[in-house]
Amino acid sequence: MKSPGGVGGRGVSQELAGRLAELASMMKRLTPGDGIHATALERVVLIRSSRPGEPLRALHQPALCLIAQGAKRVMLGEEVYPYEASNHLVVSVDLPVTGQVTQATSQAPYLCFRLDLDPGEIADLLLHAKLPASPQRSPSRGLFLDETTPALLDAVLRLVRLLDSPEDIPALAPLATREIVYRLLKGEHGWRLNQIATANSQAWRIARAIGWLKARFAEPLRIEDLAREVHMSTSSLHHHFKAVTAMSPLQYQKQLRLQEARRLLLSEDVDVATAGFRVGYESPSQFGREYSRLFGASPGRDSQRLRQLPEVPAAT
């Protein structure tokens, strides 16, 4: 695997370290055990793990993931994005990724703040905050690492502190959330979020194509239909789709199908043939081959193994 050039490993200033320690202390108190914890804050979850984990595949929704303690790596195709408390990960479109907690102990657990991003909120900020226009660039990866600044961390801290005063959440949470998105847009890679939220840009069209695939992943895919839906030529769709997702539309659809099949096998206790049929496979043998290629084991053996594992956070 290759790294696209992360920002992990840089020294953390004393100012930033103090804020991260405060955030970690609050999150440790607010998360009683390992797992993904919903909060009273809309679109915010807190994630905790007391040990390194195995690689876990998931469809990652647009989000900011900011580590307060520990370290993780996220894999998109052959690319590896390692990050820790000095930086954060932003996902701008739905992407099938693999996540793995790499640094965590029971005394110093991995702690991650996740804020799901709303493209409508981003577009509204671009309209009203008078931010500079996005530079004319071709669409780039739908996820990126950036350095965590004190200003961004301050906004995250203000938002998390509201969990101790829930009566203030309706009035103050939208302000803190808006500032977080504003800080992301002003960051070095903010133009990538800008592109996704700018109507009729190539990146915006790819985001629409992803939404179309998510809604119809079990149906046969005709690239001509998808290209027509997002008003692109088939060649332009292929080129820009791969630039954003690191895969072709057909590869993306296959990831959606197989991850949904895995979910069905685990959570709905269906048999292998039924899971394959429900996600669009007419041939059980083809389903088994492609499942084994992605997850490293046959559907039956993989689901049996996963049921025996302790609960660990998903790839977020």
Side-chain angles (χ1 to χ4, degrees):
M1 291 187 177
K2 58 183 179 179
S3 171
V7 294
R10 299 180 181 178
V12 180
S13 69
Q14 188 172 359
E15 179 185 23
L16 194 66
R19 288 172 168 85
L20 287 168
E22 180 185 352
L23 180 60
S25 177
M26 286 192 296
M27 290 180 62
K28 194 171 183 179
R29 173 172 53 83
L30 292 164
T31 54
D34 287 358
I36 301 174
H37 300 267
T39 73
L41 295 163
E42 186 179 5
R43 295 160 38 204
V44 170
V45 298
L46 305 178
I47 305 163
R48 175 173 175 159
S49 180
S50 59
R51 59 190 175 280
E54 67 170 40
L56 295 173
R57 294 181 180 271
L59 181 66
H60 206 310
Q61 297 177 332
L64 159 69
C65 297
L66 190 150
I67 294 177
Q69 186 171 269
K72 189 170 192 174
R73 64 175 184 164
V74 170
M75 288 79 82
L76 175 65
E78 294 299 311
E79 298 173 353
V80 183
Y81 296 78
Y83 70 115
E84 54 192 15
S86 61
N87 46 74
H88 56 270
L89 180 79
V90 176
V91 181
S92 61
V93 295
D94 295 273
L95 289 175
V97 300
T98 303
Q100 182 178 22
V101 174
T102 56
Q103 182 181 321
T105 66
S106 57
Q107 292 75 30
Y110 165 84
L111 298 166
C112 180
F113 163 93
R114 190 187 81 201
L115 170 66
D116 293 335
L117 298 176
D118 178 2
E121 182 179 40
I122 296 171
D124 184 69
L125 257 176
L126 292 172
L127 180 64
H128 294 102
K130 298 182 179 179
L131 291 167
S134 174
Q136 295 299 315
R137 297 176 179 171
S138 297
S140 189
R141 284 288 182 267
L143 80 169
F144 59 88
L145 292 173
D146 209 346
E147 286 189 81
T148 297
T149 63
L152 173 62
L153 194 49
D154 281 344
V156 171
L157 280 166
R158 282 196 295 276
L159 187 58
V160 176
R161 287 186 193 121
L162 291 175
L163 292 172
D164 289 328
S165 55
E167 70 278 6
D168 296 330
I169 287 177
L172 299 181
L175 302 178
T177 300
R178 191 173 177 87
E179 181 181 351
I180 290 169
V181 176
Y182 174 79
R183 298 294 178 189
L184 294 178
L185 286 167
K186 286 197 69 178
E188 180 182 354
H189 298 282
W191 60 272
R192 303 196 197 198
L193 283 178
N194 190 322
Q195 283 188 336
I196 293 296
T198 301
N200 295 316
S201 70
Q202 297 284 37
W204 180 84
R205 294 178 195 275
I206 296 304
R208 283 193 60 198
I210 287 171
W212 193 91
L213 284 171
K214 284 180 61 185
R216 300 168 176 81
F217 68 85
E219 302 174 9
L221 173 60
R222 295 185 70 253
I223 296 298
E224 296 81 4
D225 293 341
L226 178 57
R228 189 181 306 113
E229 178 70 20
V230 297
H231 306 291
M232 299 177 76
S233 68
T234 55
S235 60
S236 180
L237 172 64
H238 268 290
H239 174 72
H240 293 303
F241 195 97
K242 193 161 188 178
V244 172
T245 68
M247 61 194 78
S248 70
L250 187 61
Q251 290 170 327
Y252 187 97
Q253 182 201 45
K254 187 182 297 183
Q255 291 260 353
L256 292 181
R257 285 181 167 186
L258 294 173
Q259 290 196 20
E260 173 62 11
R262 198 184 209 193
R263 187 196 68 80
L264 290 171
L265 289 168
L266 284 172
S267 62
E268 299 192 15
D269 199 28
V270 301
D271 60 64
V272 171
T274 300
F277 178 76
R278 284 175 59 175
V279 300
Y281 283 93
E282 296 182 359
S283 165
S285 60
Q286 182 187 6
F287 170 60
R289 285 194 305 272
E290 295 189 355
Y291 190 104
S292 299
R293 192 175 299 124
L294 181 63
F295 296 118
S298 67
R301 185 174 299 174
D302 178 60
S303 59
Q304 183 179 26
R305 181 185 64 85
L306 288 175
R307 289 191 184 96
Q308 297 171 350
L309 291 175
E311 183 179 353
V312 290
T316 53

